Amino acid sequence: MRPEEYLLASHAIHIEMGRLAERLLELARFRCAEPSNQAFLNLMNRQAELLETLTEMHDRASTDFRSSSARMPLN
């Protein structure tokens, strides 16, 4: 994974996470942020998916960055 790809993908995830946070806040204000509300559960599941995706991207990018820096000559 190239650094540009990582930055673009992680930025898109952060934007979606911000929107999810706004929706969760809305549900909390109206006392609807509870496990019996399917909309709440869907938001929480999506948040967990996005966090997992970020973790996978970070792991892959870290490996790629380390291996590419090992190939770069020192000046």
Side-chain angles (χ1 to χ4, degrees):
M1 172 174 267
R2 294 188 336 238
E4 306 83 33
E5 294 170 325
Y6 177 80
L7 290 173
L8 285 172
S10 64
H11 182 69
I13 290 173
H14 282 97
I15 289 170
E16 186 174 353
M17 295 273 297
R19 290 181 182 146
L20 288 176
E22 289 171 8
R23 181 68 179 126
L24 287 168
L25 181 59
E26 215 176 90
L27 288 173
R29 278 192 193 126
F30 294 105
R31 299 174 194 246
C32 297
E34 57 184 55
S36 64
N37 183 346
Q38 189 60 48
F40 172 74
L41 291 178
N42 293 344
L43 287 170
M44 296 306 296
N45 286 330
R46 183 62 182 150
Q47 182 182 34
E49 290 170 4
L50 291 171
L51 288 171
E52 179 64 27
T53 300
L54 277 175
T55 299
E56 291 168 1
M57 283 174 40
H58 177 80
D59 292 345
R60 194 171 86 203
S62 293
T63 301
D64 291 351
F65 296 164
R66 269 190 242 114
S67 65
S68 68
S69 67
R71 290 181 290 208
M72 291 178 63
L74 297 175
N75 292 337

